[in-house]
Every structure is written in structure tokens, then in C-alpha cells.
Amino acid sequence: MSQNNHHDKEEKKMYNKGEVITGLVLFAVIFAFPFWYNMGKAAPVPEPVLTEQAKAAKECIKPKALMKTDHMQILNDWRNSVARDRNRIYVNSSNKEFDMSLSNNCLDCHSNKAEFCDKCHTYASVSPYCWDCHIDKPKEK
Amino acid sequence: MIKCMFSLTVVIILAVLAFVGAETAGFKAQFLFGIAIPYAALLIFVIGVLNRVIGWARSPVPFAIPSTCGQQKSLPWIKPANLDNPTTTGGVFGRMFLEVFLFRSLFRNTKTQLSEGPKISFNLEIFLWLAAIAFHASFFTVLARHLRLFTEPVPSVIQLLEKVDGMLQVGVPGILLSGFVLLAAVSYLLLRRIIEPQVNYISLTQDYFPLFLIIGIAASGILMRHIFKIDVIGAKQLAMGLVTFHPTIPEGIGGIFYVHVFFVSVLLAYFPFSKLMHMGGIFMSPTRNLPGNTRAVRHVNPWNYPVHTHTYEEYEEEFRGKMIEAGLPVEKE
């Protein structure tokens, strides 16, 4: 009986308290990094700005939602098509023809790279290697 | 096999639940899977982990455990194994470091085989260690990479990590090595359980379930990036809302995103009650964290019952007179 009581009392005690608490505090602080790093302030969600030319055109080559999620894959397909098959013509679902060219076609309307492309790219922390070759304000010959 | 199939079924049901909910039930379901469940899961994870570790810290270690591999420090002319059986705190740190970062004891895993003769041989069995270290390292990389969705501005270390991870530059968006290594390693760990008869025999539901869950997490993540495209800006907006306590549900992120988040939430909530607690447990392992100094320091069992002792000195003190009378030898006159 008295042995049991003794045991119960001992169970409440924490061994190596200093080390364990230090470890647990470290765990909590590291795990909570995104919480204290942002200090509770959400950065505003970027709104890409359309140029007058883009506004006037009303529609891109595909619907907006699809362009938002798939533009990078379209550009990749275009690159393969142009560089490997010498096919420069893209026909969209409403039978409109487009020149498969980032510099001459896309960036013609969206000539404001910083306000259009970079805004979301920076927010999502992506650095596309398109810009390694294709420059800001292009007009390729 | 039934344990394996049961775990798989549970994971599939979880996926269907989140997908159908987010795609059909609209805002209410998205609020549930995107905000309410993640917050609840995070709370369960943190409190659960702290609770488990404190519980372990309250458990007394009855014995110092010197029976680890390697010679303990003894006489000056016997060479001690300083890493396997360290006597100092520094040595214990060294052993712990190798254990946590390189899985040293798993590396020593051997396979016993009986060949003709009969001859017994112990062969190095490296694949479990290889898959384990690939799994843990890639999972950590994937986790760290996700900070790009939880921080603004994104720290340059995280951007650098993603650059290294995507160094193959295959496709757009480029494939990230860690995701595929994670999927391959966790698949190996699952197949090992299913195919190897001995491992299969000792495998339980709670062994299969986290494997299927992590396969689900990795697969949904890869699918989201490369096949069923989601709105990344929306995903980051939701994630940032969570960590800044201004939760929002942006429209049209896509059902698969909620499947991914739900899987992660289930993993977090399940964590403290599962074998995954080895994350904290490895630091609490007596054979890893106790110095092998039993020859130098006496370890007293903390729950020893206070035994009433009567030492020889006390005995002689009590009976000295009578002992001298009877002609018995005494230590003190």
C-alpha cells in the first residue's frame, strides 16, 4: 500500500527537466516559424495589371482560369513545337490563329512584365528560366 | 493482407470525402477542409507531441543501460569505443547526432543467411537504411520547400533550396527531385512490408496506414503541380490566411488541393498517437542518451523503495561493548 503511494508521487516528477523543456521549447519555436515570421500580417494578394492593349483584346488565347494555371505548360509546348517541329502556328478552340512566341505574341499585349508576370511569380516564389533568354521589352527580329 | 487493404481503404475514403466535399458542397465543405480541420489538426499535433514527450520524461529510468555496442571506458590500457559507448556528454551528443541524422544503428542492419555447409553468414542489408534516409531527407526537403506558401517575403534559403531541388529543369513547372524521391522511398518501404514474408508477418494496420497516407500526400502534391493544375496564388492565399490568423477561402483552387490538405491534417492529428512519435522518442531513448559510465557513476533507481538499512558500522556501534566482551574482533576500539 505505502509502496503504491510512493510510486504515484514519483510519477508526477519530471526527470532531466532542463534538457527536456529546452528541447520541447525548441521544437515549438521551430515548428511555429511561419506563425511568428509573418507576425500575423498577410501580405496582399497580387493582382496582375492588364495593359490597355490587353484590356482591348478582351480574351487571351484561352479562358482566364486556364491561363492562370496552365500558361507555363502552354509555353513549354510552344517551345517544343517551334524548336523541334518548326511549327509556329497555334490555333485555339475558337479557330483563331496565334504566333507561338513568348516575345512577339504574349509580351506584345502583356508588355508590363513587372506588373503582370513578376507580381504573381514573386508572390509564389517561382523563378521561371524563360527570362534567362527572353528579355523584358522585346521585339525580336 | 487484410490490414494492408484496410489501411488503403481508409486512405481512399479520406480522399473521396475531401474531394467530393470540396467540389460539390461548396464553401461550407471548403471551410471545413481548408480551415477548421487544419487548425484542429495542428492543435492536436502540438499538444499531443508535448504531452507524449512530457509523459516519457516523467517515466523513471530504473537502470543505466551500459550494454550498448562497444567497450566501455575502464582500465587505461583497454581501448574504449568513444562513439558507441561514450562516457562524456560530448560523446553522447556525437552518438545522438549520428543516430538522428545518419541512422547509424539502422546502417548496421544485417541479414542472417544459412548457406550450404551448413554455413552461417551475416550480410550487410543496406536497402532499408537507404530507403529510410532517402525518405526522411526528402520529406524534410518537401516540408521546408512548402514554406514558400507560408511566408511573405519568402526567405532566400527556401528559394535556394527549391532551385537546387529543381536543378534538372525538366518540364514547366520543373519537376522537383525531393517529391519523386519521397514517393519512391515510401513506395519501397510499403512494398517491403507486403513482399518480404517476415516483415509482412509482423506488420500491423498502424504500419500500413501512415505509409499509404504519405503516399497519398506525395502523389496528390505531384499531381497538383504537374497534372491537375491548381491556382497556386489561391493556395498561398489560403495558407497565408492560416498562419496569420486571417483565414480565407479563395475561390476555385480545385478539389485535389483540399484532398492534399486533408491528408496532411490527418497525418498531423494522427502523429502523436502513432509510431511516428519516434521523432521525439529518439531523443528519449536510454540506450542512446545515457552515457556509458556505470563504472564511474552510480545510477540510483529513482523509484527505489526507501529500504531501511543497517550498515556494519552502525551494527558495530550498537554492539561494540558486547563484541569486545565476547572476544570478537572490532574495527574501532
Side-chain angles (χ1 to χ4, degrees):
Chain A
M1 187 63 208
S2 66
Q3 188 168 2
N4 277 344
N5 283 343
H6 184 73
H7 197 115
D8 288 346
K9 219 189 294 164
E10 283 296 328
E11 244 178 348
K12 296 263 172 348
K13 194 187 155 203
M14 211 163 133
Y15 300 91
N16 298 91
K17 205 170 182 174
E19 287 94 330
V20 175
I21 297 288
T22 310
L24 289 179
V25 168
L26 255 166
F27 157 75
V29 169
I30 292 173
F31 195 79
F33 169 74
F35 288 96
W36 53 260
Y37 179 82
N38 295 303
M39 311 256 286
K41 264 182 265 160
V45 182
E47 279 294 331
V49 179
L50 290 176
T51 56
E52 291 304 319
Q53 196 183 346
K55 271 184 205 158
K58 277 197 180 131
E59 191 154 73
C60 201
I61 59 166
K62 283 185 176 193
K64 188 179 162 191
L66 208 67
M67 290 311 294
K68 213 171 175 182
T69 57
D70 286 37
H71 64 275
M72 62 301 265
Q73 282 179 351
I74 293 170
L75 286 171
N76 198 38
D77 292 344
W78 281 15
R79 182 188 60 179
N80 293 347
S81 168
V82 171
R84 294 177 190 168
D85 305 332
R86 275 191 284 172
N87 173 24
R88 278 196 162 272
I89 307 298
Y90 172 78
V91 184
N92 76 356
S93 54
S94 45
N95 275 329
K96 218 171 154 192
E97 281 190 7
F98 293 94
D99 183 18
M100 288 190 191
S101 168
L102 171 63
S103 299
N104 296 338
N105 191 2
C106 307
L107 295 180
D108 187 36
C109 274
H110 305 291
S111 51
N112 52 344
K113 175 173 174 278
E115 291 290 296
F116 186 76
C117 310
D118 293 350
K119 261 196 163 174
C120 291
H121 285 165
T122 309
Y123 185 70
S125 173
V126 289
S127 45
Y129 52 79
C130 311
W131 313 122
D132 290 359
C133 303
H134 297 271
I135 45 159
D136 255 18
K137 278 260 172 108
K139 262 299 163 200
E140 281 174 9
K141 289 275 150 69
Chain B
M1 208 58 211
I2 187 141
K3 289 162 184 157
C4 176
M5 295 321 284
F6 176 74
S7 308
L8 176 63
T9 313
V10 171
V11 171
I12 290 174
I13 290 173
L14 292 177
V16 171
L17 221 72
F19 188 79
V20 173
E23 287 277 310
T24 61
F27 180 76
K28 266 187 191 159
Q30 288 168 2
F31 180 85
L32 183 71
F33 289 113
I35 295 172
I37 292 177
Y39 270 139
L42 197 65
L43 216 61
I44 295 173
F45 173 74
V46 173
I47 294 174
V49 167
L50 295 184
N51 193 36
R52 277 302 284 278
V53 173
I54 289 171
W56 284 328
R58 280 182 178 156
S59 314
V61 178
F63 312 109
I65 303 181
S67 59
T68 52
C69 310
Q71 172 64 48
Q72 190 178 117
K73 190 179 175 211
S74 56
L75 297 165
W77 44 272
I78 298 175
K79 201 181 160 204
N82 284 325
L83 267 178
D84 284 319
N85 209 343
T87 43
T88 59
T89 314
V92 169
F93 265 101
R95 177 167 70 182
M96 206 46 135
F97 179 86
L98 293 174
E99 195 62 44
V100 170
F101 288 95
L102 298 174
F103 311 165
R104 192 157 174 260
S105 13
L106 191 60
F107 187 73
R108 288 197 279 222
N109 183 26
T110 52
K111 196 177 193 173
T112 316
Q113 271 174 328
L114 211 57
S115 50
E116 263 182 67
K119 226 166 118 184
I120 197 164
S121 62
F122 302 94
N123 305 312
L124 185 66
E125 218 291 277
I126 195 106
F127 291 105
L128 177 61
W129 174 83
L130 202 66
I133 204 142
F135 168 76
H136 284 82
S138 58
F139 208 157
F140 176 78
T141 311
V142 169
L143 213 67
R145 261 206 290 105
H146 273 73
L147 281 176
R148 84 176 167 113
L149 301 173
F150 292 93
T151 53
E152 183 61 38
V154 180
S156 52
V157 194
I158 303 300
Q159 292 178 337
L160 184 71
L161 182 71
E162 187 164 332
K163 213 158 205 175
V164 174
D165 206 3
M167 63 184 169
L168 292 188
Q169 295 200 336
V170 175
V172 179
I175 64 162
L176 297 169
L177 283 168
S178 56
F180 289 90
V181 172
L182 173 63
L183 193 60
V186 72
S187 301
Y188 171 81
L189 294 172
L190 175 71
L191 286 178
R192 171 181 161 269
R193 279 195 188 281
I194 295 172
I195 292 168
E196 269 186 51
Q198 297 94 326
V199 187
N200 184 282
Y201 184 74
I202 58 164
S203 292
L204 303 170
T205 308
Q206 58 264 42
D207 294 317
Y208 291 113
F209 178 65
L211 289 173
F212 279 119
L213 199 57
I214 292 166
I215 288 177
I217 291 171
S220 59
I222 291 172
L223 284 177
M224 219 160 25
R225 185 175 171 88
H226 298 287
I227 317 258
F228 309 122
K229 315 286 295 182
I230 63 150
D231 175 14
V232 181
I233 303 298
K236 178 157 184 174
Q237 198 185 344
L238 190 145
M240 288 299 290
L242 287 177
V243 295
T244 53
F245 300 107
H246 294 103
T248 49
I249 293 286
E251 260 178 60
I253 306 185
I256 190 162
F257 171 77
Y258 291 96
V259 175
H260 188 69
V261 171
F262 187 46
F263 274 160
V264 175
S265 305
V266 171
L267 186 72
L268 279 175
Y270 173 69
F271 199 98
F273 313 101
S274 69
K275 65 176 203 168
L276 303 176
M277 267 310 292
H278 68 265
M279 180 179 83
I282 191 160
F283 297 100
M284 312 295 276
S285 311
T287 62
R288 302 290 94 190
N289 67 14
L290 282 180
N293 55 3
T294 44
R295 283 183 168 93
V297 181
R298 184 173 176 227
H299 180 88
V300 179
N301 180 358
W303 43 268
N304 260 356
Y305 181 71
V307 180
H308 177 72
T309 54
H310 197 218
T311 61
Y312 178 74
E313 277 154 337
E314 289 162 356
Y315 173 88
E316 196 183 289
E317 207 63 46
E318 197 178 335
F319 298 108
R320 186 170 291 117
K322 284 177 179 155
M323 287 169 81
I324 293 170
E325 243 175 67
L328 290 173
V330 286
E331 284 184 352
K332 266 195 266 176
E333 287 294 337

